[in-house]
Amino acid sequence: MDAQVVENLSVTLASCKRLEDKLGPAIGGYLFDMSRPEAARDYFQHARIAGHHAGNPACAAYAAANASLAAFLRGDTPTALDTAAAARSLAARTDDVRLKALAEQMAAAAYALDGQYGPCMAACARAHDFLASANGCAANSLAYWVHEGKLDSQRNARDRFNRTFVDGYGFCQVQPSHALILDKDINEAAHVLGDAVGYARLSPLLTPELHTTRALMRPWENIKAVQELDVQLHAYGLFQAAEAPY
């Protein structure tokens, strides 16, 4: 490790600290990217409390939505559902349609984790409805990055998504696979998830989601499409038999 690396780390940590001071526990997002959802949970919980004490429902809703994502990545279904419900309730007190869509997206993910296909699809539909209202405009939205391409489970919407946003595009691939598994369309689910494998190598945040979704395919491990998916996972070093969670 040379002096330049040390300097770069120092600048990065200083930047994180400034964000922490200005915005609250923003470092929770960095912990997500480091595949440490348990640590991120504590930061987002602190943010929820700070938003509540400040009387700011938008900030509290955003923190609750991220807390739901942290629980989803840990496979903690009750917490994912509860914090998603809190995010929806808080977002409803704002005029931010993108924030409301984000809350619905987190609710859809939590429902998928709980095996509730109907509520999952209904939450996805509500997210689209929010974005369709006022053409998805929301000045200074905390969830400025939420749009139809991120939420839509249809392939043509994923094709319109800007693939340079690796995390966003990857989630746009993985989350529809959840719904397809619940709908018992395993061949398509395996195909969609396979499209996300290459992106998981570029974004550590996607790896646990990919593993969680693959675990749902256990009853269909002998299907050709699933076996081909496993070959892809092996090829990218994302699925090692001795360590596989499925």
Side-chain angles (χ1 to χ4, degrees):
M1 181 178 293
D2 58 26
Q4 185 61 56
V5 173
V6 173
E7 176 64 19
N8 289 342
L9 289 173
S10 177
V11 171
T12 300
L13 290 173
S15 177
C16 290
K17 179 59 178 173
R18 285 194 295 272
L19 285 173
E20 188 84 1
D21 291 340
K22 183 177 180 180
L23 302 176
I27 201 170
Y30 291 99
L31 289 168
F32 269 140
D33 291 337
M34 294 167 63
S35 298
R36 296 179 58 192
E38 295 84 358
R41 170 191 58 192
D42 296 335
Y43 280 92
F44 287 126
Q45 180 62 21
H46 178 67
R48 288 184 64 193
I49 295 171
H52 172 74
H53 288 318
N56 189 323
C59 286
Y62 186 71
N66 281 282
S68 183
L69 177 58
F72 174 83
L73 292 176
R74 297 194 313 274
D76 182 352
T77 302
T79 301
L81 289 167
D82 291 346
T83 49
R88 294 165 82 182
S89 177
L90 289 161
R93 294 165 55 189
T94 76
D95 295 325
D96 188 340
V97 293
R98 291 186 186 274
L99 185 59
K100 292 175 182 179
L102 175 63
E104 293 296 341
Q105 180 190 10
M106 293 302 99
Y111 284 132
L113 187 63
D114 196 37
Q116 299 187 52
Y117 176 73
C120 173
M121 292 296 98
C124 288
R126 286 191 296 270
H128 280 289
D129 290 344
F130 279 126
L131 292 179
S133 66
N135 294 319
C137 295
N140 302 316
S141 173
L142 289 172
Y144 62 90
W145 41 270
V146 175
H147 56 81
E148 290 87 347
K150 184 170 180 62
L151 300 175
D152 206 317
S153 62
Q154 298 302 317
R155 183 171 301 278
N156 61 351
R158 294 199 301 273
D159 289 342
R160 293 198 304 270
F161 197 95
N162 185 341
R163 300 189 185 197
T164 61
F165 297 107
V166 175
D167 283 336
Y169 183 74
F171 276 111
C172 199
Q173 294 291 94
V174 174
Q175 291 183 352
S177 187
H178 271 275
L180 289 165
I181 293 169
L182 294 173
D183 200 35
K184 302 298 189 294
D185 190 348
I186 306 304
N187 287 329
E188 182 63 12
H191 176 72
V192 171
L193 194 61
D195 288 343
V197 170
Y199 292 91
R201 288 196 68 193
L202 301 175
S203 174
L205 178 60
L206 292 175
T207 301
E209 271 223 52
L210 189 149
H211 286 167
T212 298
T213 304
R214 170 57 183 87
L216 297 176
M217 298 181 182
R218 282 174 178 154
W220 301 279
E221 289 185 344
N222 293 325
I223 290 179
K224 181 181 178 181
V226 177
Q227 293 175 342
E228 291 174 347
L229 170 63
D230 288 346
V231 170
Q232 285 183 273
L233 292 170
H234 276 293
Y236 281 94
L238 296 173
F239 176 13
Q240 297 178 7
E243 301 174 1
Y246 30 84

PDB file of all heavy atoms in Angstrom, residues 1-15:
ATOM      1  N   MET A   1       0.851  -1.185   0.000  1.00  0.00           N
ATOM      2  CA  MET A   1       0.000   0.000   0.000  1.00  0.00           C
ATOM      3  C   MET A   1       0.895   1.245   0.000  1.00  0.00           C
ATOM      4  O   MET A   1       1.647   1.477   0.957  1.00  0.00           O
ATOM      5  CB  MET A   1      -0.911   0.000   1.224  1.00  0.00           C
ATOM      6  CG  MET A   1      -1.850   1.197   1.266  1.00  0.00           C
ATOM      7  SD  MET A   1      -2.964   1.157   2.699  1.00  0.00           S
ATOM      8  CE  MET A   1      -3.971  -0.271   2.294  1.00  0.00           C
ATOM      9  N   ASP A   2       0.853   2.025  -1.076  1.00  0.00           N
ATOM     10  CA  ASP A   2       1.716   3.189  -1.165  1.00  0.00           C
ATOM     11  C   ASP A   2       1.025   4.447  -0.632  1.00  0.00           C
ATOM     12  O   ASP A   2      -0.127   4.413  -0.211  1.00  0.00           O
ATOM     13  CB  ASP A   2       2.195   3.408  -2.610  1.00  0.00           C
ATOM     14  CG  ASP A   2       1.033   3.591  -3.581  1.00  0.00           C
ATOM     15  OD1 ASP A   2      -0.056   4.038  -3.145  1.00  0.00           O
ATOM     16  OD2 ASP A   2       1.208   3.292  -4.779  1.00  0.00           O
ATOM     17  N   ALA A   3       1.751   5.569  -0.661  1.00  0.00           N
ATOM     18  CA  ALA A   3       1.239   6.815  -0.092  1.00  0.00           C
ATOM     19  C   ALA A   3      -0.011   7.299  -0.815  1.00  0.00           C
ATOM     20  O   ALA A   3      -0.922   7.878  -0.200  1.00  0.00           O
ATOM     21  CB  ALA A   3       2.336   7.884  -0.136  1.00  0.00           C
ATOM     22  N   GLN A   4      -0.074   7.071  -2.142  1.00  0.00           N
ATOM     23  CA  GLN A   4      -1.236   7.527  -2.901  1.00  0.00           C
ATOM     24  C   GLN A   4      -2.507   6.787  -2.483  1.00  0.00           C
ATOM     25  O   GLN A   4      -3.578   7.384  -2.367  1.00  0.00           O
ATOM     26  CB  GLN A   4      -0.993   7.320  -4.401  1.00  0.00           C
ATOM     27  CG  GLN A   4      -2.104   7.887  -5.294  1.00  0.00           C
ATOM     28  CD  GLN A   4      -2.265   9.383  -5.133  1.00  0.00           C
ATOM     29  OE1 GLN A   4      -1.307  10.114  -5.306  1.00  0.00           O
ATOM     30  NE2 GLN A   4      -3.457   9.837  -4.785  1.00  0.00           N
ATOM     31  N   VAL A   5      -2.378   5.492  -2.238  1.00  0.00           N
ATOM     32  CA  VAL A   5      -3.527   4.713  -1.777  1.00  0.00           C
ATOM     33  C   VAL A   5      -3.995   5.214  -0.418  1.00  0.00           C
ATOM     34  O   VAL A   5      -5.194   5.393  -0.175  1.00  0.00           O
ATOM     35  CB  VAL A   5      -3.170   3.212  -1.705  1.00  0.00           C
ATOM     36  CG1 VAL A   5      -4.309   2.426  -1.054  1.00  0.00           C
ATOM     37  CG2 VAL A   5      -2.885   2.663  -3.089  1.00  0.00           C
ATOM     38  N   VAL A   6      -3.044   5.462   0.462  1.00  0.00           N
ATOM     39  CA  VAL A   6      -3.390   5.977   1.791  1.00  0.00           C
ATOM     40  C   VAL A   6      -4.102   7.321   1.672  1.00  0.00           C
ATOM     41  O   VAL A   6      -5.108   7.580   2.349  1.00  0.00           O
ATOM     42  CB  VAL A   6      -2.125   6.111   2.663  1.00  0.00           C
ATOM     43  CG1 VAL A   6      -2.471   6.816   3.981  1.00  0.00           C
ATOM     44  CG2 VAL A   6      -1.530   4.751   2.929  1.00  0.00           C
ATOM     45  N   GLU A   7      -3.614   8.172   0.791  1.00  0.00           N
ATOM     46  CA  GLU A   7      -4.229   9.484   0.604  1.00  0.00           C
ATOM     47  C   GLU A   7      -5.649   9.344   0.053  1.00  0.00           C
ATOM     48  O   GLU A   7      -6.582  10.037   0.487  1.00  0.00           O
ATOM     49  CB  GLU A   7      -3.383  10.318  -0.354  1.00  0.00           C
ATOM     50  CG  GLU A   7      -3.969  11.680  -0.714  1.00  0.00           C
ATOM     51  CD  GLU A   7      -4.096  12.616   0.476  1.00  0.00           C
ATOM     52  OE1 GLU A   7      -3.414  12.375   1.503  1.00  0.00           O
ATOM     53  OE2 GLU A   7      -4.889  13.572   0.392  1.00  0.00           O
ATOM     54  N   ASN A   8      -5.828   8.442  -0.907  1.00  0.00           N
ATOM     55  CA  ASN A   8      -7.161   8.229  -1.471  1.00  0.00           C
ATOM     56  C   ASN A   8      -8.146   7.728  -0.415  1.00  0.00           C
ATOM     57  O   ASN A   8      -9.301   8.167  -0.375  1.00  0.00           O
ATOM     58  CB  ASN A   8      -7.096   7.216  -2.619  1.00  0.00           C
ATOM     59  CG  ASN A   8      -6.418   7.776  -3.843  1.00  0.00           C
ATOM     60  OD1 ASN A   8      -6.283   8.994  -3.988  1.00  0.00           O
ATOM     61  ND2 ASN A   8      -5.976   6.895  -4.737  1.00  0.00           N
ATOM     62  N   LEU A   9      -7.692   6.821   0.438  1.00  0.00           N
ATOM     63  CA  LEU A   9      -8.547   6.329   1.510  1.00  0.00           C
ATOM     64  C   LEU A   9      -8.899   7.443   2.481  1.00  0.00           C
ATOM     65  O   LEU A   9     -10.039   7.538   2.953  1.00  0.00           O
ATOM     66  CB  LEU A   9      -7.847   5.184   2.249  1.00  0.00           C
ATOM     67  CG  LEU A   9      -7.726   3.859   1.496  1.00  0.00           C
ATOM     68  CD1 LEU A   9      -6.856   2.888   2.283  1.00  0.00           C
ATOM     69  CD2 LEU A   9      -9.108   3.252   1.264  1.00  0.00           C
ATOM     70  N   SER A  10      -7.924   8.294   2.779  1.00  0.00           N
ATOM     71  CA  SER A  10      -8.161   9.407   3.695  1.00  0.00           C
ATOM     72  C   SER A  10      -9.213  10.358   3.142  1.00  0.00           C
ATOM     73  O   SER A  10     -10.121  10.798   3.860  1.00  0.00           O
ATOM     74  CB  SER A  10      -6.852  10.160   3.943  1.00  0.00           C
ATOM     75  OG  SER A  10      -7.071  11.279   4.771  1.00  0.00           O
ATOM     76  N   VAL A  11      -9.111  10.666   1.848  1.00  0.00           N
ATOM     77  CA  VAL A  11     -10.086  11.556   1.210  1.00  0.00           C
ATOM     78  C   VAL A  11     -11.473  10.926   1.218  1.00  0.00           C
ATOM     79  O   VAL A  11     -12.478  11.595   1.491  1.00  0.00           O
ATOM     80  CB  VAL A  11      -9.649  11.886  -0.231  1.00  0.00           C
ATOM     81  CG1 VAL A  11     -10.763  12.617  -0.974  1.00  0.00           C
ATOM     82  CG2 VAL A  11      -8.378  12.726  -0.222  1.00  0.00           C
ATOM     83  N   THR A  12     -11.537   9.631   0.919  1.00  0.00           N
ATOM     84  CA  THR A  12     -12.828   8.932   0.905  1.00  0.00           C
ATOM     85  C   THR A  12     -13.478   8.938   2.277  1.00  0.00           C
ATOM     86  O   THR A  12     -14.681   9.211   2.417  1.00  0.00           O
ATOM     87  CB  THR A  12     -12.643   7.481   0.434  1.00  0.00           C
ATOM     88  OG1 THR A  12     -12.093   7.484  -0.886  1.00  0.00           O
ATOM     89  CG2 THR A  12     -13.971   6.743   0.423  1.00  0.00           C
ATOM     90  N   LEU A  13     -12.699   8.638   3.309  1.00  0.00           N
ATOM     91  CA  LEU A  13     -13.240   8.628   4.669  1.00  0.00           C
ATOM     92  C   LEU A  13     -13.693  10.015   5.100  1.00  0.00           C
ATOM     93  O   LEU A  13     -14.726  10.166   5.769  1.00  0.00           O
ATOM     94  CB  LEU A  13     -12.190   8.089   5.638  1.00  0.00           C
ATOM     95  CG  LEU A  13     -11.883   6.593   5.513  1.00  0.00           C
ATOM     96  CD1 LEU A  13     -10.701   6.222   6.400  1.00  0.00           C
ATOM     97  CD2 LEU A  13     -13.108   5.772   5.883  1.00  0.00           C
ATOM     98  N   ALA A  14     -12.939  11.036   4.714  1.00  0.00           N
ATOM     99  CA  ALA A  14     -13.325  12.410   5.051  1.00  0.00           C
ATOM    100  C   ALA A  14     -14.636  12.775   4.371  1.00  0.00           C
ATOM    101  O   ALA A  14     -15.505  13.433   4.961  1.00  0.00           O
ATOM    102  CB  ALA A  14     -12.220  13.383   4.647  1.00  0.00           C
ATOM    103  N   SER A  15     -14.789  12.352   3.100  1.00  0.00           N
ATOM    104  CA  SER A  15     -16.031  12.617   2.376  1.00  0.00           C
ATOM    105  C   SER A  15     -17.214  11.929   3.054  1.00  0.00           C
ATOM    106  O   SER A  15     -18.297  12.515   3.205  1.00  0.00           O
ATOM    107  CB  SER A  15     -15.895  12.137   0.929  1.00  0.00           C
ATOM    108  OG  SER A  15     -17.106  12.306   0.217  1.00  0.00           O
TER     109      SER A  15
END
